[in-house]
């Protein structure tokens, strides 16, 4: 436990720091207010004192009031289980998330609680009375956090406010640096020509101080505040060397101005702050792209939807309040607010924000539709199947949150390097000062300039953004093409894959039967389509789709599991029509006085399957088909896709066994699937890809989720992953090479603080621009 944490737990009566939030206490009291005392007692009583050791900043100050919202009314109920999503204010680090989760875990009826640090979203699941939601909110408020129903628009507003603060600080620093530079240029010219006397020079120095010092105090807060907070928590952050460098430069310059010295570096200090703010803003933009995309997706279905009553009148209601089975009217130009099935109406949907597909999709009754898609042409009635957190849109956001919280090997390496980086930097700076001041007998002011240059030029900002910049750029580029990366290590493992194991149904094929050519006539097709148009059976729908202009016949009787009949005409299985069974998927039409007619069906292959498999092979991934279907269907699919090795009738255990065999042979298999039976294999593979059109459990087990209908998205992801790994290694080499060259120059006195700031900003910009090259990969499939 660090010293600050011990002080919080063992602070004696005479201390002036609050034992909970570290704020000043009146009259030497242990707590600054009753709220902090209550929060401390609650944390200690639950045995969660480790919170103070894990805390990375000041503890949240408790709010005296309980939540002002009726949280119970926002809970969703399924059987005896209730779920609730909240926005929690006051979260500053992972320790806050840990504390909230641990407190809720001690509630006997809570079965699950998770906090997303990036979005500040808390999800709770419990059994019992819905009214317990307000108790949970009060419990969290007692810890010092604010609680409100989750609203993604608030998240977007918070991010916009932070970006605005950085831009404001950049503007102040830029304005001050330009004016200070004018004064400094006059001093430099006057010093070079000898035309400026000491009194004029001192006046210029004081004028520069009056401009620079207030600007540094305001514009430097994005660095000073985190550094001070970290010091109070007993640790050194990456902002500490920056803050020390800026403050030391200002202090030394002010000292020189007071004593009438020849040199002052106010221009270097304020320019340094400006360049660092530029780098911080670019870093924030790079890191925040995935979160902004998630927030944008979450706001797609916030508008009320029109729920139809028994009389067909639409009543506005929040999308998350729509229950399964209710019907929703979607007008042209509106976004669908729920997942469901089209009941009536024919239109086209713009699904580009969800799937990346630019072409609209035609929708007819019985087609599945998803929340967030835009209705383009005509009114549509949708029967709800899922709403709120149960929609595909919400699942995408959860996957993105999981990806942002994951950590790759390179990110972990950068974090470990950053932890010992700061003390080493301070030792180097102190050694530089002592070397020049003590050994080379240089004036302490000049020695301090060299030390400040070391502090600035060795700032590990480049190393800190080397990996995230590439990962965010790569994930953002794939997301715009309908591919979601759900694991922080997915890029590393995708780049290592050398075998591509593909499932058949729903992966190599679309999972939808299509009528095949046969010995039937147009009249046979019309007679069969009249019956098939009345059924929702997959084969009947495929047959009806082959003759869309044929109207449905009247008086058709459906025999569940057998077929359809109208008077003496039958359409269905071979047994239902009294014929011998054939091979594969088929429907048989039996009419009085006519020979039976067989309609054969096949699973429609993805149009780019053969090209995608060829691309995977060209990338060095040996393609292999692993399916649970019968051998004839698997063999046909393998031949159509150009795959020579295939396995049929493979159950989930057999698929896992095959993957384990590959891994024992030293291979790194990439598994691509979509079904419920593929989930164990997806989890067992070295890296896995699932299609969003498949089972939810398959998506949860996968590292990459494909939203489009293209199999070519898989080799796209592999190409991006391999390029991303190359760029990560390049960025790390750039950051290390920069320090290997710059640090000796700074110690040798060849670098001023201003030059150090320019070099550091240039290196950060180089790393970011290099990371953006991952999106400019030529030859991606479309």
């Amino acid at each position: 436990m660090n010293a600050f944490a011990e002080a919080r737990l063992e602070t004696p009566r005479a201390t002036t720091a609050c034992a909970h939030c570290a704020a000043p206490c009146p009259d030497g009291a242990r707590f600054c207010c009753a709220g902090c005392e209550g929060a401390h007692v609650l944390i200690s009583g639950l045995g969660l004192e480790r919170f103070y050791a894990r805390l990375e900043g000041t503890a949240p100050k408790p709010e005296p009031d309980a939540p002002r919202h009726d949280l119970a009314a926002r809970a969703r109920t399924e059987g005896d289980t209730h779920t609730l999503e909240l926005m929690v204010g006051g979260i500053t680090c992972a320790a806050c998330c840990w504390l909230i989760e641990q407190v809720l875990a001690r509630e006997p009826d809570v079965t699950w609680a998770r906090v997303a640090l990036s979005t500040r979203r808390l999800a709770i699941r419990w059994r019992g009375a819905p009214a317990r939601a307000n108790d949970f909110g009060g419990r969290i408020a007692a810890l010092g956090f604010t609680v409100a129903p989750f609203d993604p628009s608030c998240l977007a507003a918070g991010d916009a406010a932070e970006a605005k603060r950085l831009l404001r600080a950049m503007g102040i620093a830029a304005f001050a640096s330009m004016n200070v530079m004018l004064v400094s240029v006059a001093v430099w010219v006057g010093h070079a020509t000898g035309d400026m006397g000491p009194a004029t020079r001192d006046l210029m120095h004081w004028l520069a101080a009056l401009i620079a010092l207030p600007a540094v105090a305001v514009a430097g807060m994005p660095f000073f505040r985190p550094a001070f907070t970290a010091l109070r928590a007993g640790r050194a952050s990456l902002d500490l060397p920056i803050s020390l460098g800026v403050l030391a430069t200002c202090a030394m310059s002010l000292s020189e101005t007071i004593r009438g010295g020849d040199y002052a570096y106010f221009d270097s200090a304020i320019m340094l702050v400006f360049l660092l703010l530029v780098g911080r803003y670019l870093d924030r933009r790079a890191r925040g792209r995935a979160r902004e995309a998630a927030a944008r997706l979450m706001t797609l279905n916030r508008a009320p939807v029109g729920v139809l009553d028994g009389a067909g009148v639409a009543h506005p209601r929040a999308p998350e309040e729509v229950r399964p089975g209710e019907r929703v009217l979607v007008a042209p130009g509106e976004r669908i607010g729920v997942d469901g099935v089209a009941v009536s109406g024919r239109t086209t949907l713009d699904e580009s924000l969800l799937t990346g597909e630019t072409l609209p999709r035609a929708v007819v009754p019985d087609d599945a539709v998803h929340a967030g898609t835009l209705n383009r042409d005509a009114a549509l009635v949708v029967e709800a199947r899922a709403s709120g957190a149960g929609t595909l849109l919400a699942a995408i956001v959860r996957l993105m949150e999981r990806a942002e919280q994951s950590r790759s090997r390179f990110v972990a390496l950068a974090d470990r390097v950053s932890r010992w980086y700061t003390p080493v930097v301070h030792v180097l700076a102190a050694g530089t000062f002592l070397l020049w001041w003590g050994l080379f007998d240089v004036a302490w002011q000049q020695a301090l300039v060299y030390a400040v240059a070391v502090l600035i030029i060795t700032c590990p900002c480049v190393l800190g953004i080397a990996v995230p910049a590439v990962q965010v750029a790569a994930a953002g580029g794939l997301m715009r093409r309908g591919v979601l990366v759900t694991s922080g290590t997915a890029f590393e493992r995708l780049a290592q894959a050398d075998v591509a194991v593909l499932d058949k149904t729903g992966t190599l094929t679309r999972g939808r039967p299509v009528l095949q050519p046969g010995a039937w006539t147009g009249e046979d097709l019309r007679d069969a389509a009249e019956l098939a148009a009345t059924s929702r059976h997959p084969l009947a729908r495929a047959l009806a789709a082959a003759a869309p202009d044929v109207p449905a016949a009247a008086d058709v009787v459906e025999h569940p599991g057998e077929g359809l009949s109208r008077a003496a005409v039958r359409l269905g299985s071979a047994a239902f029509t009294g014929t011998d069974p054939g091979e594969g998927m088929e429907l048989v039409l039996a009419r009085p006085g006519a020979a039976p007619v067989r309609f054969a069906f096949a699973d429609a292959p993805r149009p780019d399957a053969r090209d995608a498999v060829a691309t995977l092979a060209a990338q060095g991934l040996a393609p292999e088909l692993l399916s649970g279907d019968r051998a004839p269907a698997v063999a046909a699919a393998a031949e159509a896709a150009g795959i020579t090795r295939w396995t049929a009738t493979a159950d989930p255990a057999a698929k896992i066994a095959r993957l384990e065999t590959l891994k024992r042979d030293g291979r790194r298999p990439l598994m691509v699937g979509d079904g419920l039976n593929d989930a164990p294999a997806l989890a067992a593979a070295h890296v896995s890809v699932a299609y969003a059109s498949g089972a939810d459990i398959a998506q949860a087990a996968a590292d990459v989720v494909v939203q489009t209908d293209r199999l070519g998205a898989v080799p796209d992801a592999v190409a991006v992953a391999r390029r991303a790994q190359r760029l990560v290694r390049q960025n790390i080499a750039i950051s290390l090479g920069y320090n290997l060259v710059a640090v000796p120059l700074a110690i040798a006195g060849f670098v001023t603080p201003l030059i150090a700031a320019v070099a550091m900003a240039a290196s950060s910009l180089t790393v970011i621009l290099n990371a953006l090259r991952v999106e400019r990969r030529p030859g991606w499939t479309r």
Side-chain angles (χ1 to χ4, degrees):
M1 185 179 296
N2 57 42
F4 183 67
E6 292 177 355
R8 286 185 164 187
L9 294 176
E10 306 296 337
T11 304
R13 187 72 178 176
T15 186
T16 59
C18 177
H20 177 69
C21 72
C25 295
D27 302 326
R30 190 179 181 193
F31 301 100
C32 63
C33 64
C36 282
E37 182 175 6
H40 189 278
V41 170
L42 175 60
I43 293 172
S44 302
L46 292 173
L48 301 177
E49 294 90 346
R50 283 181 296 166
F51 165 67
Y52 295 115
R54 301 167 66 108
L55 192 66
E56 298 182 10
T58 303
K61 192 174 183 65
E63 294 288 336
D65 298 330
R68 296 180 174 86
H69 304 272
D70 183 11
L71 302 180
R74 302 297 184 113
R76 296 185 303 276
T77 302
E78 297 180 4
D80 63 342
T81 302
H82 313 282
T83 56
L84 179 66
E85 292 185 347
L86 302 174
M87 175 82 78
V88 183
I91 293 179
T92 58
C93 64
C96 299
C97 299
W98 176 86
L99 177 63
I100 294 172
E101 291 174 357
Q102 292 298 315
V103 168
L104 292 174
R106 281 161 169 74
E107 297 291 329
D109 47 356
V110 173
T111 60
W112 187 80
R114 287 293 182 273
V115 182
L117 177 60
S118 60
T119 57
R120 279 90 74 185
R121 175 161 66 174
L122 166 63
I124 312 173
R125 187 181 304 134
W126 75 96
R127 292 190 177 93
R132 285 282 287 156
N134 292 318
D135 298 334
F136 302 146
R139 199 76 158 166
I140 298 168
L143 295 173
F145 303 97
T146 57
V147 180
F150 183 77
D151 187 348
S153 60
C154 296
L155 175 63
D159 289 341
E162 178 62 24
K164 187 179 295 184
R165 283 193 291 270
L166 282 176
L167 285 174
R168 186 185 302 115
M170 286 172 55
I172 294 172
F175 178 79
S177 62
M178 288 187 294
N179 286 276
V180 172
M181 192 61 67
L182 291 175
V183 176
S184 299
V185 168
V187 174
W188 298 340
V189 173
H191 179 77
T193 60
D195 295 335
M196 181 176 290
T200 305
R201 182 197 61 210
D202 292 346
L203 176 62
M204 292 295 183
H205 284 171
W206 278 111
L207 183 59
L210 290 174
I211 299 173
L213 292 180
V216 167
V218 175
M221 278 300 167
F223 309 105
F224 302 155
R225 188 181 294 110
F228 179 67
T229 301
L231 280 178
R232 290 174 59 183
R235 62 182 182 85
S237 70
L238 299 183
D239 292 306
L240 187 58
I242 297 174
S243 302
L244 287 177
V246 172
L247 294 177
T249 303
C250 290
M252 183 266 295
S253 300
L254 183 60
S255 173
E256 286 292 281
T257 300
I258 294 174
R259 58 187 290 270
D262 294 336
Y263 301 103
Y265 292 93
F266 293 114
D267 52 346
S268 299
I270 188 60
M271 183 63 72
L272 170 61
V273 172
F274 171 69
L275 293 173
L276 291 174
L277 283 170
V278 172
R280 178 65 56 90
Y281 181 76
L282 292 175
D283 180 25
R284 177 176 177 79
R285 294 299 301 167
R287 291 174 182 265
R289 285 184 181 178
R291 184 168 59 195
E292 290 173 2
R296 185 169 61 253
L297 287 175
M298 286 188 291
T299 57
L300 288 181
N301 63 336
R302 303 304 297 176
V305 298
V307 180
L308 297 175
D309 59 15
V313 179
H315 301 277
R317 195 186 303 174
E320 62 270 15
E321 297 177 358
V322 178
R323 302 303 179 191
E326 292 186 313
R327 297 194 172 191
V328 176
L329 176 64
V330 185
E334 289 184 350
R335 291 197 180 273
I336 299 176
V338 297
D339 283 1
V341 176
V343 176
S344 65
R346 294 174 179 267
T347 185
T348 57
L349 296 182
D350 180 356
E351 300 179 323
S352 58
L353 290 176
L354 283 183
T355 66
E357 295 289 350
T358 57
L359 295 177
R361 178 172 71 95
V363 173
V364 298
D366 295 333
D367 282 353
V369 297
H370 297 290
T373 55
L374 179 66
N375 183 15
R376 291 167 53 96
D377 301 327
L380 189 68
V381 177
V382 176
E383 184 176 310
R385 293 288 186 266
S387 62
T391 62
L392 171 65
L393 186 64
I396 292 174
V397 174
R398 287 193 294 270
L399 291 175
M400 295 179 70
E401 287 180 350
R402 189 176 78 179
E404 190 176 356
Q405 293 170 359
S406 301
R407 297 160 65 82
S408 72
R409 172 170 54 91
F410 286 117
V411 171
L413 173 64
D415 287 348
R416 286 196 300 271
V417 170
S418 297
R419 279 196 291 270
W420 57 258
Y421 212 103
T422 299
V424 170
V425 167
H426 293 160
V427 170
L428 284 176
T432 301
F433 176 80
L434 295 175
L435 176 69
W436 285 96
W437 180 56
L439 185 61
F440 296 144
D441 200 23
V442 172
W444 71 268
Q445 294 89 347
Q446 190 61 37
L448 184 60
V449 170
Y450 297 150
V452 168
V454 172
L455 281 174
I456 296 170
I457 210 164
T458 54
C459 176
C461 297
V462 179
L463 185 62
I465 66 175
V467 182
V470 175
Q471 288 188 333
V472 169
L478 286 176
M479 191 187 74
R480 285 188 287 274
R481 290 166 175 82
V483 180
L484 295 177
V485 179
T486 68
S487 169
T489 61
F491 286 124
E492 297 171 31
R493 289 180 282 122
L494 267 177
Q496 297 167 351
D498 54 12
V499 179
V501 181
L502 296 92
D503 179 47
K504 183 182 79 70
T505 305
T507 302
L508 200 61
T509 65
R510 288 179 168 177
R512 297 194 297 268
V514 176
L515 179 64
Q516 300 298 297
W520 43 263
T521 65
E523 182 181 354
D524 295 334
L525 179 61
R526 284 192 297 272
D527 291 345
E530 286 182 345
L531 277 70
T534 65
S535 174
R536 298 184 63 180
H537 188 276
L539 294 185
R541 293 177 61 183
L543 196 152
D549 297 331
V550 176
D555 302 327
V556 177
V557 179
E558 183 163 2
H559 305 268
E562 297 179 322
L564 305 165
S565 66
R566 181 190 182 201
V569 179
R570 290 192 169 196
L571 177 69
S573 65
F576 180 62
T577 55
T579 58
D580 295 331
E583 293 184 358
M585 297 182 291
E586 68 171 4
L587 288 177
V588 180
L589 175 66
R591 293 167 296 186
V597 179
R598 297 181 184 273
F599 297 92
F601 300 86
D603 194 359
R606 296 189 186 271
D608 64 338
R610 192 174 187 87
D611 293 340
V613 169
T615 304
L616 286 171
Q619 291 174 332
L621 281 77
E624 179 176 332
L625 184 56
L626 191 60
S627 174
D629 287 354
R630 292 176 294 176
V634 177
E639 182 180 1
I643 299 176
T644 57
R645 182 183 179 90
W646 54 269
T647 303
T649 63
D651 59 13
K655 292 183 178 182
I656 293 177
R658 175 58 184 162
L659 293 172
E660 293 297 335
T661 299
L662 288 171
K663 289 195 286 187
R664 282 196 301 269
D665 293 341
R667 311 299 294 273
R668 298 183 177 91
L670 159 65
M671 178 69 194
V672 187
D674 79 318
L676 184 65
N677 62 332
D678 294 325
L682 291 170
H686 181 69
V687 63
S688 54
V689 177
Y691 274 81
S693 57
D696 290 343
I697 191 172
Q699 298 177 46
D703 301 296
V704 177
V705 176
V706 178
Q707 299 289 312
T708 73
D709 195 41
R710 299 184 305 110
L711 188 61
V714 178
D716 278 356
V718 173
V720 171
R722 291 180 175 178
R723 185 168 178 81
Q725 294 308 102
R726 289 196 296 270
L727 292 177
V728 163
R729 288 190 287 269
Q730 291 175 13
N731 276 357
I732 291 178
I734 289 172
S735 63
L736 295 179
Y738 155 77
N739 282 283
L740 288 176
V741 173
V743 171
L745 292 176
I747 294 175
F750 293 110
V751 180
T752 66
L754 179 58
I755 295 176
V758 173
M760 190 189 65
S763 62
S764 298
L765 187 59
T766 301
V767 165
I768 292 174
L769 292 176
N770 190 50
L772 294 178
R773 292 173 54 220
V774 76
E775 297 189 59
R776 300 173 184 171
R777 172 70 172 174
W780 281 9
T781 59
R782 289 289 184 261

